[in-house]
């Protein structure tokens, strides 16, 4: 039996799950301790209940995810407004290092997938279906490359890729907070001195002050950037490359913000604090919708070899975040937050990374460096690089 919810009903269900997750998180100490995002808590409970309905009475619900995509675009537009060129110049080396780390992760995920598949005697194409296609690529890349694997003779590849992406979405969201939590506590990172750019960051923080009367203007600024962004996205599509739907809006938002910062003749106010709040709300709603629309019973249909392959990816992600990311990014508080972030988009999507980092920074303190590096690398570079590497590995197989 199939029942459908329209986009308004889907949003309502996701909001209830989000609020329920917030309540549960307040009641359960371990969820607070390990910085598990509230939308993941409530959404996962809802998804488990839906899986039970499907398993017992064969009842399945379909959802209209239109508003999920809108919330995603609003959130990334808000991130674009946070891009301060002055700060980006200060973090140029860090940006290159983090990009190199992500490229290494893409190769590691595919190499591990092929290695484990060969070890357990499984088709190498099945291995690729659990590599960077669903992991760092998420559901979007899974939907794009699943049919390609089917063309190469792997029947049901799209379903396997999608199920693996679902697994990664949950695992990455659950893993990020605990990894950062342990690093911060064990290394005493909060007790160490702050960034050498403390004055610069303090001035940046002053721009994020909040006033109730500014939220309407902030909403309009987001809307303008999103509208103009569609033109940029269309121009980028003419290159023949595939970019995330929000990339144009993110670019326009960054331009508007930095033009406003440098405008001397005309005073332009960008309401960064209010924009950041609106983006945070949309991030929670996006993740809530993403979680309640999960069909966990797809995981039950995975054969034992696939579970072995996915478990290997979880182990790789933990070791990679804990030792490689934390070490190469400076072994400080920002590096710990980045470790949480890479668990999110390394096994799911950039919004999951942001949710992981949001849960950590809400408990401790902000990390401007992490909030700048993850969206830039995750949205502007990762999908493009991942597609090239996946194509390389498919041709190898």
């Amino acid at each position: 039996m199939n029942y459908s919810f329209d986009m308004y009903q889907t949003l309502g269900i996701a909001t209830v799950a989000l609020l329920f997750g917030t309540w549960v998180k307040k009641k359960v100490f371990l969820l607070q301790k390990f910085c598990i995002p509230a939308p993941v808590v409530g959404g996962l409970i809802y998804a488990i209940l839906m899986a039970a309905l499907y398993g017992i009475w064969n009842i399945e619900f379909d959802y209209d995810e239109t508003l999920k995509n809108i919330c995603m675009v609003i959130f990334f537009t808000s991130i674009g407004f946070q891009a301060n060129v002055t700060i980006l110049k200060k973090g140029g080396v860090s940006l290159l290092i983090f990009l190199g780390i992500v490229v290494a992760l893409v190769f590691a995920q595919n190499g591990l997938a092929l290695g484990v598949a060969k070890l357990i005697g499984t088709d190498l194409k099945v291995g690729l279906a659990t590599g960077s296609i669903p992991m760092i690529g998420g559901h979007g890349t899974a939907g794009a490359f699943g049919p390609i694997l089917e063309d190469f003779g792997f029947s049901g590849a799209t379903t396997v890729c999608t199920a693996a992406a679902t697994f990664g979405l949950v695992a990455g969201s659950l893993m990020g907070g605990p990894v950062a939590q342990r690093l911060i506590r064990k290394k005493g990172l909060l007790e160490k001195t702050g960034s050498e750019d403390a004055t610069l960051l303090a001035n940046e923080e002053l721009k994020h002050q909040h006033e109730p009367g500014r939220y309407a203007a902030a909403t309009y600024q987001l809307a303008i950037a999103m509208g103009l962004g569609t033109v940029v996205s269309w121009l980028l599509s003419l290159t023949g490359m595939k970019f995330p739907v929000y990339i144009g809006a993110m670019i326009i938002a960054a331009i508007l913000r930095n033009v406003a910062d440098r405008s001397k003749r005309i005073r332009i106010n960008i309401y960064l604090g209010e924009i950041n709040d609106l983006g945070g709300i949309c991030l929670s709603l996006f993740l809530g919708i993403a979680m309640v629309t999960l069909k966990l019973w797809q995981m039950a249909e995975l054969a034992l070899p696939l579970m072995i392959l996915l478990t290997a990816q979880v182990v790789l992600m933990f070791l990679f975040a804990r030792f490689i990311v934390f070490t190469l990014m400076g072994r400080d508080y920002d590096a710990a937050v980045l470790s949480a972030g890479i668990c999110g988009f390394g096994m799911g999507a950039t919004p999951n990374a942001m949710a992981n980092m949001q849960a950590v920074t809400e408990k401790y303190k902000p990390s401007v460096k992490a909030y700048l590096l993850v969206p830039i690398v995750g949205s502007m570079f990762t999908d493009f690089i991942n597609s090239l590497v996946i194509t390389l590995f498919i041709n190898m197989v």
Side-chain angles (χ1 to χ4, degrees):
M1 292 183 289
N2 284 70
Y3 300 92
S4 298
F5 294 111
D6 62 27
M7 64 180 183
Y8 306 108
Q9 294 165 338
T10 301
L11 179 64
I13 292 169
T15 303
V16 171
L18 168 61
L19 295 174
F20 180 70
T22 302
W23 179 80
V24 172
K25 185 176 178 179
K26 290 179 180 178
K27 299 294 182 180
V28 181
F29 172 73
L30 287 178
L31 297 177
Q32 300 178 46
K33 180 179 179 181
F34 293 123
C35 306
I36 306 302
V40 173
V41 176
L44 189 55
I45 292 173
Y46 178 86
I48 291 172
L49 292 176
M50 294 304 101
L53 283 178
Y54 179 81
I56 298 173
W57 292 292
N58 198 31
I59 298 175
E60 183 177 352
F61 295 96
D62 294 318
Y63 305 87
D64 186 330
E65 301 184 26
T66 302
L67 292 177
K68 182 185 80 170
N69 296 327
I70 294 174
C71 288
M72 177 182 66
V73 174
I74 293 174
F75 167 69
F76 277 105
T77 306
S78 74
I79 290 296
F81 276 111
Q82 313 306 318
N84 186 325
V85 171
T86 303
I87 294 179
L88 286 176
K89 288 180 180 178
K90 294 287 185 179
V93 175
S94 296
L95 180 64
L96 292 176
I97 293 174
F98 192 63
L99 179 59
I101 288 173
V102 172
V103 173
L105 177 60
V106 173
F107 277 95
Q109 287 180 338
N110 289 309
L112 177 67
L114 293 180
V116 174
K118 188 173 183 179
L119 182 65
I120 63 178
T122 300
D123 188 337
L124 296 183
K125 291 188 288 293
V126 177
L128 279 182
T130 64
S132 71
I133 291 176
M135 294 293 106
I136 205 166
H139 285 85
T141 306
F145 279 91
I148 295 176
L149 290 177
E150 290 178 355
D151 291 340
F152 281 93
F154 178 14
S155 179
T158 301
T159 299
V160 172
C161 287
T162 301
T166 299
F167 177 91
L169 182 75
V170 176
S173 295
L174 293 176
M175 188 192 311
V179 169
Q181 162 83 9
R182 180 166 177 79
L183 286 170
I184 292 169
R185 291 287 185 87
K186 184 177 180 180
K187 305 292 184 179
L189 301 180
L190 291 176
E191 301 171 3
K192 296 183 178 180
T193 56
S195 168
E196 62 181 5
D197 298 317
T199 302
L200 180 63
L201 298 183
N203 292 333
E204 176 73 6
E205 192 65 24
L206 290 175
K207 299 178 183 178
H208 286 72
Q209 294 178 342
H210 306 74
E211 290 186 15
R214 293 177 175 176
Y215 281 93
T219 302
Y220 304 150
Q221 290 174 349
L222 284 167
I224 291 171
M226 290 167 62
L228 293 174
T230 60
V231 179
V232 175
S233 294
W234 173 73
L235 291 173
L236 289 173
S237 70
L238 297 179
T239 65
M241 296 185 291
K242 186 176 181 180
F243 293 89
V245 65
Y246 50 76
I247 190 67
M250 194 174 179
I251 291 172
I252 290 294
I255 293 173
L256 291 176
R257 186 266 164 87
N258 286 280
V259 168
D261 283 351
R262 287 158 179 75
S263 177
K264 296 181 179 180
R265 294 184 178 182
I266 303 175
R267 182 172 178 80
I268 303 175
N269 293 318
I270 300 295
Y271 303 115
L272 298 177
E274 293 77 14
I275 286 174
N276 192 50
D277 284 347
L278 293 170
I281 292 170
C282 288
L283 171 63
S284 295
L285 290 174
F286 165 83
L287 196 54
I289 295 174
M291 294 302 297
V292 301
T293 55
L294 292 178
K295 296 182 178 181
L296 293 179
W297 56 88
Q298 292 178 343
M299 303 309 302
E301 298 173 359
L302 293 178
L304 179 60
L306 291 179
M307 293 307 300
I308 295 174
L309 287 162
L310 292 172
T311 301
Q313 292 293 340
V314 172
V315 174
L316 169 66
M317 190 70 261
F318 170 78
L319 296 175
F320 199 91
R322 169 62 180 82
F323 295 102
I324 296 179
V325 176
F326 180 68
T327 300
L328 294 183
M329 294 310 299
R331 301 179 64 86
D332 56 10
Y333 175 76
D334 290 327
V337 178
L338 283 168
S339 297
I342 204 168
C343 288
F345 82 78
M347 297 194 71
T350 306
N352 298 85
M354 303 307 296
N356 283 354
M357 297 193 302
Q358 184 183 57
V360 175
T361 56
E362 282 180 351
K363 183 173 182 179
Y364 296 108
K365 64 179 182 179
S367 173
V368 174
K369 181 179 180 180
Y371 266 73
L372 288 175
L373 293 184
V374 169
I376 291 172
V377 174
S379 62
M380 295 186 181
F381 300 109
T382 301
D383 287 338
F384 178 68
I385 293 171
N386 192 29
S387 297
L388 293 177
V389 176
I390 291 169
T391 302
L392 172 65
F393 274 87
I394 289 178
N395 289 322
M396 288 172 55
V397 171

